[in-house]
Amino acid sequence: QKEVEQDPGPLSVPEGAIVSLNCTYSNSAFQYFMWYRQYSRKGPELLMYTYSSGNKEDGRFTAQVDKSSKYISLFIRDSQPSDSATYLCAMISGSQGNLIFGKGTKLSVKP
Amino acid sequence: DAGVTQSPTHLIKTRGQQVTLRCSPISGHKSVSWYQQVLGQGPQFIFQYYEKEERGRGNFPDRFSARQFPNYSSELNVNALLLGDSALYLCASSFGQTTGELFFGEGSRLTVL
């Protein structure tokens, strides 16, 4: 079993839809959870950074962490064509300095 | 402010050759990490350097090496290149060692023929 599981998609939605992206993990030591957005042939860009279980909102983006279920989510409201990218979940324990990434989910938002 | 800068952006090598990739972190950041991203996969951790010392190493062969300089810039070296080394090599910087708030550069795309 991989440490981080993420459905690679692809996921295609119409403009304005609510998008739900998810990851599961197996390592209870993970404490910090991140979502990165990666446009084609570019480096990943940090979108959301959360520490504890619960929700964190930033504009149209909401990150949700459920440590008891080892499950994290990213919700995108009122999706736009500019949101079309690959979304990577990543996590880290407090004792190590390297991120463990999911495979990434490729999202396409159609006008 | 300048973000993480990497060079070269693209390069083509043949099997058996050696390559050096360079990275300049965000000003004030003391930690530099290297990741390899193969097409269709998430980035895989190669090295982390903090305050010029190696603080972590991923599951990569000894052909991969790195170092961090006094100005916190870093180089990644790969010897005896294999076809499977073809990937996007990403450098990331952070202020601390374990915060996880990594800021990535655009990457160096290596093609091995």
Side-chain angles (χ1 to χ4, degrees):
Chain A
Q1 181 187 12
K2 286 196 172 185
E3 280 194 289
V4 179
E5 300 275 5
Q6 183 177 10
D7 186 341
L11 181 62
S12 182
V13 301
E15 183 175 353
I18 296 175
V19 176
S20 173
L21 304 168
N22 311 294
C23 288
T24 59
Y25 63 95
S26 58
N27 189 344
S28 302
F30 289 140
Q31 294 180 296
Y32 304 91
F33 305 90
M34 284 132 279
W35 286 94
Y36 284 84
R37 177 175 63 195
Q38 186 173 27
Y39 291 113
S40 181
R41 298 188 171 274
K42 298 290 186 182
E45 171 195 9
L46 181 63
L47 271 181
M48 301 288 283
Y49 176 84
T50 55
Y51 171 64
S52 58
S53 284
N55 292 353
K56 181 177 181 180
E57 191 172 317
D58 184 0
R60 296 185 295 111
F61 298 90
T62 299
Q64 193 173 77
V65 174
D66 183 348
K67 285 188 176 180
S68 62
S69 301
K70 297 190 180 66
Y71 189 87
I72 68 170
S73 300
L74 178 70
F75 299 95
I76 307 174
R77 290 184 299 280
D78 187 25
S79 56
Q80 302 295 309
S82 59
D83 295 328
S84 298
T86 295
Y87 290 80
L88 297 153
C89 65
M91 42 204 81
I92 188 172
S93 73
S95 60
Q96 62 184 108
N98 59 291
L99 295 181
I100 307 297
F101 282 88
K103 272 190 172 184
T105 299
K106 187 170 184 178
L107 172 67
S108 177
V109 181
K110 304 292 188 185
Chain B
D1 285 341
V4 177
T5 57
Q6 292 187 243
S7 64
T9 54
H10 296 84
L11 66 166
I12 299 173
K13 295 285 187 178
T14 56
R15 281 177 295 176
Q17 286 189 311
Q18 175 264 341
V19 67
T20 298
L21 309 176
R22 296 176 178 83
C23 172
S24 293
I26 292 171
S27 178
H29 283 190
K30 300 180 180 181
S31 176
V32 170
S33 300
W34 288 95
Y35 287 77
Q36 180 197 63
Q37 188 176 25
V38 173
L39 196 62
Q41 301 292 320
Q44 295 284 317
F45 172 69
I46 310 175
F47 283 109
Q48 185 197 24
Y49 278 78
Y50 179 72
E51 289 283 15
K52 292 150 280 183
E53 291 188 7
E54 182 182 308
R55 298 302 180 105
R57 184 185 181 116
N59 188 24
F60 280 82
D62 291 343
R63 299 185 296 107
F64 289 76
S65 64
R67 55 180 173 168
Q68 186 176 33
F69 299 100
N71 66 353
Y72 300 108
S73 67
S74 178
E75 285 182 352
L76 175 69
N77 294 285
V78 187
N79 294 323
L81 286 168
L82 303 174
L83 295 179
D85 295 331
S86 296
L88 180 68
Y89 288 85
L90 295 162
C91 175
S93 77
S94 63
F95 180 76
Q97 182 182 353
T98 60
T99 63
E101 283 192 277
L102 299 187
F103 297 88
F104 284 86
E106 296 296 307
S108 293
R109 186 165 297 278
L110 171 65
T111 301
V112 182
L113 302 177

